[in-house]
């Protein structure tokens, strides 16, 4: 028997149990109440009005019988009314509780089968509790729908990003086959560039998947942040020189130490300083500053480059988000760098944030790291 039928019978049984116990007590209680003591009371009431003892006993018996019959009729009538009330109460409960519960169960099955657009109308009956259950169900379905949309979007983005270098490679190979290109070192270099791009992308996606799933194992150790910042800047000096950009570093006079995963800090810094170089025109200025906060250290990367429009700023940490396609042609990546960096910062208990006064007005990225060791 399905659960809702069992519930219906349980409801009816509970009502019947209440009614039956009411009837039984109404039938038994008068007998008990009209016991010997009641007979004595009736006797004492009748005695002053009736002369002989025999007449008193007769009147007393008649009265007792009448009382018993009257209470029996009253109990029977009350029982019938109670049964009717019980049936009505069961029906009301059935309509207000079991019917919506059946709807919720059916909707849950549809959500489980992948119909995430399923929503339930908010119930006017059934009270606050049912209303709460339906609201929670709708919230859950909405969240699942959003997650599913993101999943589909992610697959579309990944395949799109993979297709670009693959198409490039395919074109080159076909060009060689058709004799359009020579299999010389220039063509090989172009092919190698596409392969590196593919490898970078696959690696980025792998790191992103791990860090988002919380599966990336960090190796926190005591590091000299002053040193890590200097090294990261040095690593990118050549790139800055290529565009005649000024890349400067500003550190406190003392050494700043903290507990963090060195390689991951370098990865974040390389990403945000690399972006600053990429999105700043030649002869631009990029400043990297190490500041101390309340038990935290902040690395601020400020450029005077192309900036980020205010309406795009909230999205730049999303996976595969790029402010515009033109930036990609300038040598930009797949749009996962900042997403990885922010997740890495979070994994280390820190934060990565961005500010910009708008297009053409430069950008500032701030990496905050905890676990500062008092210098
Ligand atoms: P990408 O690999 O495309 O650089 P990121 O995730 O590192 O991806 O950055 C996302 C987007 O944020 C970039 O495509 C770019 O449009 C914007 N962006 C990042 N850093 C800067 C910056 N310093 N100045 C201007 N725009 C930036």
């Amino acid at each position: 028997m399905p659960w809702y039928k069992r519930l219906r019978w349980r409801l009816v049984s509970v009502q019947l149990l209440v009614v039956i116990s009411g009837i039984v007590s109404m039938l038994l209680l008068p007998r008990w109440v009209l016991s010997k003591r009641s007979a004595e009371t009736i006797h004492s009431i009748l005695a002053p009005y009736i002369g002989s003892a025999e007449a008193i006993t007769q009147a007393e018996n008649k009265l007792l019988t009448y009382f018993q019959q009257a209470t029996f009729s009253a109990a029977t009538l009350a029982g019938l009314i109670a049964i009717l009330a019980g049936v009505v109460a069961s029906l009301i409960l059935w309509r207000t509780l079991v019917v919506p519960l059946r709807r919720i169960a059916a909707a849950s099955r549809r959500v489980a089968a992948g119909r995430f657009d399923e929503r339930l109308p908010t119930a006017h009956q059934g009270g606050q509790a049912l209303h709460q259950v339906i609201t929670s169900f709708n919230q859950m379905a909405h969240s699942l729908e959003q997650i599913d949309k993101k999943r589909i979007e992610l697959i579309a983005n990944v395949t799109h990003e993979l297709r670009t270098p693959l198409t490039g490679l395919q074109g080159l190979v076909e060009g060689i086959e058709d004799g359009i290109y020579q299999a010389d070192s220039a063509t090989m270099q172009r092919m190698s560039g596409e392969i590196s791009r593919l490898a970078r992308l696959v690696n980025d996606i792998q790191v992103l998947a791990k860090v988002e799933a919380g599966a990336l194992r960090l190796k926190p150790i005591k590091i000299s942040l002053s040193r890590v910042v200097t090294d990261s800047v040095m690593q990118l000096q050549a790139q800055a020189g290529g565009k005649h950009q000024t890349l400067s570093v500003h550190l406190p006079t003392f050494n700043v130490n903290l507990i963090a995963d060195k390689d991951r800090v370098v990865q974040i810094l390389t990403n945000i300083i690399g972006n600053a170089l990429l999105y700043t025109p030649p002869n631009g200025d990029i400043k990297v500053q190490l500041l101390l906060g309340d038990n935290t250290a902040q690395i601020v990367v400020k450029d005077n480059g192309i900036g980020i429009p205010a309406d795009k700023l909230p999205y730049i940490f999303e996976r595969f988000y790029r402010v515009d396609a033109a930036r990609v042609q300038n040598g930009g990546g797949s749009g996962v760098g900042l997403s990885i960096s922010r997740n890495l910062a979070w994994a280390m208990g820190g934060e990565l944030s961005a500010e910009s006064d708008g297009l053409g007005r430069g950008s500032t990225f701030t990496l905050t790291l905890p676990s500062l060791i008092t210098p």
Side-chain angles (χ1 to χ4, degrees), residues 271 275 279 303 307-308 321-323 327 333-335 337-338 363 365:
N271 174 228
N275 276 348
Y279 301 113
D303 66 57
I308 302 161
Y321 184 82
R322 284 178 293 224
V323 172
R327 296 180 185 217
S334 55
L338 284 179
S363 313
F365 284 78

Side-chain angles (χ1 to χ4, degrees), residues 305-318:
I306 61 173
I308 302 161
D311 59 326
K312 306 278 168 65
L313 200 57
Y315 306 107
I316 59 166
F317 292 100
E318 283 184 9

Side-chain angles (χ1 to χ4, degrees), residues 86-134:
V87 170
V88 172
S90 301
L91 279 175
I92 293 173
L93 270 175
W94 170 255
R95 274 184 62 83
T96 55
L97 208 65
V98 181
V99 172
L101 278 179
R102 274 184 75 183
R103 270 194 212 126
I104 295 171
S108 302
R109 280 196 297 276
R110 285 194 287 275
V111 169
R115 291 272 315 273
F116 300 126
D117 58 344
E118 186 72 39
R119 297 290 180 279
L120 283 166
T122 325
H124 299 296
Q125 305 157 320
Q128 188 86 25
L130 202 64
H131 183 83
Q132 192 58 49
V133 171
I134 290 176

Side-chain angles (χ1 to χ4, degrees), residues 36-37 39 44 60 100 105 113 119 139 175 196 220 236 273 305 307 331 365:
K36 200 164 167 281
R37 251 188 91 228
S44 66
E60 190 188 303
R119 297 290 180 279
Q139 280 168 352
S196 307
L236 293 160
I273 302 170
F365 284 78

Side-chain angles (χ1 to χ4, degrees), residues 293-313:
D294 192 14
N295 195 36
T296 58
Q298 288 186 328
I299 302 123
V300 182
V301 179
K302 190 174 168 58
D303 66 57
N304 63 353
I306 61 173
I308 302 161
D311 59 326
K312 306 278 168 65
L313 200 57

